[in-house]
């Protein structure tokens, strides 16, 4: 495993500070002096919960679209390795880019404990998915389920340009997205248990008119001290919009394929957008 820090990242959500969601404001008012607001991706809660997420199904969907011998895979916003480890187990060489120092440290620790065959095929880079320069090209670039929704218009423009500069001729850019076409209630609550055994509540609130979803995560124990409330905000992007943006950025794009991120035959909650770089952008 190699590791280094990619220089001069652009501003991104973790660098701007936490989102003040409406539900977070209510929780913090109730907690009083115990209440602390944090960005989800900069906190231990992200490490605790994201390590439980299994990206094997998603990785297999992506790997099936990468031609044999295409070269190393560039994984963007790698987190704690949700796609990293499945791709390594499939035999790929992976460069994993992640901005959050908390998540980079977790990914590096897991790699240090991994078999040498996997560890030696992975390079970890601390950097911003919307602005990076790695000095090498890749057979494919991949971005995990829903992650592109963290970026605003400028961030996505930077992402597309950076990826295009890093793909080999004929290389693929594979973007996994939320299937926003499925019916969803405007407000949902879910109880989750992290790898540590700590219990959390995840509160989701959709604002269709603004095309955003606010995420608030907090301890299930309402007496916790400190009572750390973590937040994030996703843009409700649809595949048609991302397809148009990719085409304008110089990619040829296939119709998105739907699949179930859990691997069952039920709800097709994920879409995979497959793009390849044209010689000259429009």
């Amino acid at each position: 495993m190699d590791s280094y820090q990619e220089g001069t990242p652009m501003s991104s959500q973790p660098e701007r500070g936490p989102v003040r969601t409406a539900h977070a404001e209510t929780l913090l008012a109730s907690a009083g002096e115990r209440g602390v607001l944090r960005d989800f991706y900069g906190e231990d809660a992200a490490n605790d919960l994201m390590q439980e997420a299994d990206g094997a199904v998603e990785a297999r969907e992506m790997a099936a679209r990468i031609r044999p011998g295409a070269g190393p895979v560039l994984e963007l916003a790698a987190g704690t390795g949700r796609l990293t480890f499945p791709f390594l187990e499939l035999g790929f060489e992976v460069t994993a880019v992640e901005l959050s120092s908390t998540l980079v440290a977790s990914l590096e620790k897991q790699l240090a404990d991994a078999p040498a065959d996997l560890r030696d095929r992975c390079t970890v880079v601390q950097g911003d998915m919307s602005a990076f320069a790695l000095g090498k090209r890749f057979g494919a670039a991949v971005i995990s389920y829903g992650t592109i929704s963290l970026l605003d218009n400028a961030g996505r423009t930077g992402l597309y340009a950076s990826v295009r500069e890093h793909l080999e001729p004929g290389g693929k850019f594979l973007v996994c997205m939320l299937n926003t076409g499925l019916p969803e209630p405007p407000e949902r609550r879910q109880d989750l248990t992290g790898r540590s055994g700590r219990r959390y509540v995840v509160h989701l609130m959709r604002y269709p008119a603004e095309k955003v979803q606010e995420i608030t995560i907090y301890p299930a124990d309402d007496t916790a001290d400190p009572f750390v409330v973590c937040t994030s905000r996703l843009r409700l992007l649809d595949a048609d919009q991302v397809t148009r943006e990719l085409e304008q950025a110089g990619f040829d794009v296939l119709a998105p394929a739907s699949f179930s991120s859990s691997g069952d035959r039920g709800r097709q909650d994920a879409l995979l957008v497959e793009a390849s770089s044209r010689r000259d952008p429009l």
Side-chain angles (χ1 to χ4, degrees):
M1 176 189 69
D2 297 320
S3 178
Y4 66 99
Q5 182 166 344
E6 192 269 317
T8 320
M10 284 175 55
S11 175
S12 67
Q13 182 170 319
E15 298 298 320
R16 287 197 300 265
V19 176
R20 300 195 72 88
T21 67
H23 196 61
E25 295 286 9
T26 300
L27 292 167
L28 292 168
S30 177
E33 293 184 355
R34 291 183 298 117
V36 180
L37 181 65
R38 293 284 187 266
D39 185 278
F40 173 65
Y41 293 97
E43 277 296 304
D44 287 341
N47 183 24
D48 200 14
L49 290 172
M50 290 173 71
Q51 286 192 32
E52 291 301 294
D54 183 1
V57 171
E58 189 177 340
R60 287 197 299 269
E61 289 283 340
M62 291 177 165
R65 291 161 172 82
I66 301 173
R67 72 179 191 276
V73 169
L74 171 62
E75 181 191 3
L76 300 166
T80 59
R82 181 172 178 273
L83 292 183
T84 313
F85 289 98
F87 267 107
L88 291 171
E89 288 165 359
L90 288 169
F92 290 91
E93 177 186 340
V94 178
T95 293
V97 176
E98 170 56 49
L99 179 59
S100 166
S101 58
T102 299
L103 301 185
V104 166
S106 174
L107 178 54
E108 289 179 332
K109 183 178 185 304
Q110 291 180 79
L111 284 165
D113 295 335
D117 175 58
L118 272 63
R119 183 172 63 247
D120 294 344
R121 285 186 281 109
C122 188
T123 299
V124 179
V125 178
Q126 185 172 2
D128 191 329
M129 63 177 161
S130 63
F132 56 91
L134 305 179
K136 64 181 293 187
R137 291 185 178 269
F138 299 84
V142 301
I143 187 166
S144 183
Y145 180 67
T147 304
I148 195 171
S149 298
L150 292 167
L151 297 175
D152 59 16
N153 292 342
R156 293 195 304 279
T157 298
L159 168 70
Y160 305 146
S162 295
V163 168
R164 194 169 183 274
E165 288 297 316
H166 287 76
L167 283 180
E168 295 280 7
K172 297 290 182 68
F173 183 25
L174 300 165
V175 180
C176 193
M177 301 180 59
L178 305 174
N179 187 352
T180 57
L182 297 177
E184 291 281 1
E187 185 172 10
R188 284 191 296 133
R189 171 189 160 123
Q190 183 177 2
D191 297 318
L192 293 177
T193 301
R195 175 170 289 190
S196 67
R198 290 193 294 269
R199 294 172 53 246
Y200 302 89
V201 178
V202 180
H203 179 271
L204 306 174
M205 188 71 192
R206 286 195 170 206
Y207 298 92
E210 292 83 4
K211 293 188 175 181
V212 298
Q213 177 173 267
E214 291 186 343
I215 303 168
T216 308
I217 300 172
Y218 52 97
D221 177 6
D222 59 12
T223 66
D225 188 4
F227 188 80
V228 180
V229 179
C230 300
T231 61
S232 183
R233 178 179 287 130
L234 297 178
R235 291 157 183 86
L236 297 177
L237 300 173
D238 60 54
D240 288 343
Q241 178 180 347
V242 171
T243 294
R244 289 194 301 271
E245 292 174 351
L246 284 165
E247 289 174 343
Q248 291 168 0
F251 291 87
D252 292 319
V253 187
L254 299 180
S258 62
F259 66 98
S260 170
S261 63
S262 62
D264 59 29
R265 294 181 178 274
R267 184 178 173 83
Q268 303 285 293
D269 61 321
L271 293 174
L272 183 57
V273 178
E274 179 181 350
S276 56
S277 180
R278 291 193 302 267
R279 182 175 297 274
D280 296 307
L282 293 176

